[in-house]
Amino acid sequence: MNAVSASEPVRTAESALRAAPPHAVVDTARDLLAERAGAREVTLWLADYAMRVLQPVTRLPYTGEPLSAHDGPAGQAFSTQTPVVQPAEDGTATVHLPVTVRGDRLGVLSVRVSADEAVPAGVLRLSDFATALGHEVVTAERDTDLYLLARRSRRLTLAAEMQWQLLPGRGCARPEFVIGAHLEPAYAVGGDNFDWSTDGDHLILTVTDGMGRGIDASLLTNLTVSALRNARRAGLGLADQARLADQAVYAQYGGKVYASTLLLRFDLATGSVQAVDAGSPHLFRLRGESVERVELDAQLPLGMFEETAYEEQVFTVRPGDRLVVVSSGVHGARSPEGGAFGEQALRQTLGATRSQDANEAARAVVAGLVEHFGSSDLTADAAVVCLDWHGRPPAES
């Protein structure tokens, strides 16, 4: 891939991807890699909504078999977020490259090239190309359904369609923190949601659990999250964001239904966290080997009563801390026999996944819940958000 090793050809490749029609970004990537790296096969695999399989971006309907998102060379590249080289006896090798945009793991780019191209320098160049492709796919999704369709192994319910469109992504990474998040049942989720926004000084993170099921829950959560975003974008503080969202939900539903929400605002420079606990999401902190529940003053859910006043609390995170937020569908889940998933099982799962990255840890919590329940068709929505706090690096002198 010598032609793209210099900065100017790299820009030319990115320009070609940007100029491609939205539905033809992968075809353009295939042509570029064939021309510049001698690629013989190029496949973009996208993770499905449940994060269980990788499915190719191809002409629909797709009749082949998806790949595991956790096993095999492609699954290993996705789960570990490192390239995996798979040599072949014919003098070629398939390089599986994670496709990730600012911490949001999209899938894997598999490229079959000559063994001479699968050396570390060549893999690095292919990795840069995979990242550029990921950015263009995210942009192209605004204008075509191709990539969204590739992500679903079966049809979404209408409520789930609304919820997934409302999410900012499934991950976010900055020098100060890494977020990994997961929803289940992925294809039928109704009321659970997570949201975040970050700027140069702060991160605001919310986890919301709308009352009810299906379309009713999704409409309630959409209203709640939109109201929170509207207040946040107006520059209001955390307590006022909760207050205005509370008023919006009460004005629409008159207290008949409500949304439980946890709001967190992180100071990126100091690790100071402002919090408003308006309902049922639970917050855990892993510090060293310990797992502890962060006890916050439980305040009323949004929309339960008119003109509710909310107060902020403050706690601090340190570099190396992990925060995990779980909705009531996790901490309150019961098996068909009536056995509660419970805080003890949750603590054990959190401790067992301490060495995994934030994305894999969030998925593992849901996997433990599914195992306890005995089926991925959970009766209640489950949201898990895992945040690894690194803190701001010291300023260079």
Side-chain angles (χ1 to χ4, degrees):
M1 200 167 176
N2 296 331
V4 292
S5 59
S7 60
E8 182 59 33
V10 168
R11 287 198 295 270
T12 301
E14 292 175 346
S15 297
L17 290 173
R18 284 195 297 270
H23 66 279
V25 169
V26 177
D27 290 337
T28 301
R30 187 176 294 114
D31 292 342
L32 287 168
L33 289 171
E35 174 189 346
R36 302 176 182 216
R40 308 181 190 186
E41 295 177 10
V42 177
T43 305
L44 175 62
W45 304 85
L46 295 181
D48 83 315
Y49 287 97
M51 303 286 275
R52 295 190 182 95
V53 297
L54 299 169
Q55 302 201 131
V57 177
T58 185
R59 297 183 184 275
L60 299 173
Y62 174 61
T63 57
E65 288 293 325
L67 302 179
S68 168
H70 310 287
D71 300 317
Q76 182 182 352
F78 181 73
S79 60
T80 64
Q81 289 293 285
T82 55
V84 173
V85 178
Q86 184 182 10
E89 295 181 355
D90 62 356
T92 67
T94 300
V95 184
H96 303 280
L97 307 136
V99 178
T100 300
V101 177
R102 294 191 175 93
D104 191 7
R105 303 187 303 174
L106 304 183
V108 171
L109 180 67
S110 297
V111 184
R112 187 163 74 93
V113 294
S114 68
D116 293 340
E117 282 290 338
V119 296
V123 172
L124 179 60
R125 291 191 289 267
L126 289 171
S127 296
D128 291 341
F129 186 92
T131 298
L133 175 61
H135 281 268
E136 294 309 315
V137 167
V138 169
T139 302
E141 282 183 345
R142 297 179 305 181
D143 302 309
T144 178
D145 287 339
L146 176 66
Y147 309 102
L148 294 174
L149 289 172
R151 289 178 177 166
R152 54 193 72 188
S153 59
R154 61 183 188 272
R155 183 176 177 177
L156 293 173
T157 65
L158 177 55
E161 189 85 53
M162 294 167 65
Q163 285 294 52
W164 284 105
Q165 291 298 307
L166 189 65
L167 295 176
R170 289 185 288 197
C172 180
R174 280 191 48 169
E176 298 89 351
F177 63 85
V178 175
I179 296 173
H182 194 50
L183 285 180
E184 201 68 56
Y187 289 85
V189 65
D192 279 13
N193 176 274
F194 44 80
D195 192 30
W196 55 73
S197 177
T198 181
D199 58 27
D201 300 312
H202 298 95
L203 162 70
I204 295 179
L205 170 66
T206 63
V207 179
T208 299
D209 181 355
M211 180 179 171
R213 300 187 64 185
I215 291 292
D216 291 338
S218 184
L219 289 170
L220 169 60
T221 300
N222 267 259
L223 173 62
T224 304
V225 173
S226 297
L228 288 169
R229 287 174 174 173
N230 180 256
R232 182 185 76 213
R233 292 164 184 169
L236 300 181
L238 212 62
D240 284 336
Q241 292 175 32
R243 181 176 59 82
L244 290 186
D246 170 72
Q247 292 176 359
V249 174
Y250 186 86
Q252 181 67 28
Y253 294 102
K256 296 177 181 178
V257 295
Y258 48 84
S260 299
T261 304
L262 177 65
L263 301 90
L264 303 172
R265 184 175 186 266
F266 296 78
D267 186 308
L268 299 181
T270 67
S272 177
V273 186
Q274 297 168 292
V276 174
D277 181 359
S280 63
H282 287 185
L283 174 63
F284 292 85
R285 176 170 53 203
L286 286 73
R287 176 171 289 169
E289 299 299 320
S290 68
V291 180
E292 61 179 344
R293 171 94 180 272
V294 179
E295 298 291 348
L296 299 170
D297 292 336
Q299 301 178 65
L300 293 173
L302 305 180
M304 179 174 281
F305 296 105
E306 189 174 13
E307 298 291 342
T308 302
Y310 292 92
E311 296 183 358
E312 298 174 7
Q313 294 176 260
V314 178
F315 65 94
T316 303
V317 287
R318 303 173 186 168
D321 281 358
R322 167 172 288 177
L323 296 181
V324 180
V325 185
V326 297
S327 67
S328 61
V330 178
H331 65 74
R334 292 185 175 274
S335 69
E337 294 77 27
F341 185 60
E343 188 168 312
Q344 182 177 357
L346 181 56
R347 286 174 179 268
Q348 290 174 346
T349 302
L350 294 178
T353 59
R354 185 67 169 101
S355 62
Q356 297 179 337
D357 66 32
N359 288 279
E360 285 297 302
R363 187 194 64 80
V365 171
V366 175
L369 174 64
V370 168
E371 181 179 359
H372 173 80
F373 189 73
S375 169
S376 60
D377 296 323
L378 303 177
T379 56
D381 297 341
V384 180
V385 178
C386 180
L387 182 146
D388 285 340
W389 184 259
H390 305 308
R392 176 157 290 174
E396 296 183 3
S397 57

